[in-house]
Amino acid sequence: METVISSVVALCMFIGGVLTEHRIQPAMSDCLKGKRVAERSANDNIEYKCEKVKVELEENIDGSKAIKKIIE
């Protein structure tokens, strides 16, 4: 599987201030919409942020891209 460095918009979930999950979003507007939806059902420990980040991407077996590691 190929690893690529790229800048993407990511929806990041923090639990207790620690980054626990991140998902690639097609655009900032899609990210903000997803953030609003997620915050409706989240408890006080969970925080969501939309950020443009530099990441290391990997290709999944189905050809989709996933964030392997956030660089910046």
Side-chain angles (χ1 to χ4, degrees), residues 32 34-43 46-49:
L32 293 169
K35 178 183 175 209
R36 283 191 302 274
V37 170
E39 286 178 336
R40 289 182 192 142
S41 61
N43 64 29
I46 301 174
E47 180 183 358
Y48 295 94
K49 291 185 181 179

Side-chain angles (χ1 to χ4, degrees), residues 4-70:
V4 176
I5 305 293
S6 181
S7 290
V8 299
V9 174
L11 176 56
C12 301
M13 180 175 74
F14 296 84
I15 298 178
V18 177
L19 178 63
T20 56
E21 191 172 335
H22 36 65
R23 301 282 178 196
I24 297 173
Q25 301 296 306
M28 186 60 78
S29 60
D30 296 310
C31 187
L32 293 169
K33 181 179 178 183
K35 178 183 175 209
R36 283 191 302 274
V37 170
E39 286 178 336
R40 289 182 192 142
S41 61
N43 64 29
D44 292 337
N45 278 356
I46 301 174
E47 180 183 358
Y48 295 94
K49 291 185 181 179
C50 291
E51 299 178 340
K52 186 163 186 167
V53 291
K54 190 172 184 180
V55 297
E56 192 175 305
L57 294 174
E58 64 183 357
E59 191 170 320
N60 294 324
I61 200 160
D62 65 356
S64 65
K65 302 263 190 241
I67 298 172
K68 181 175 182 181
K69 178 172 75 171
I70 294 179

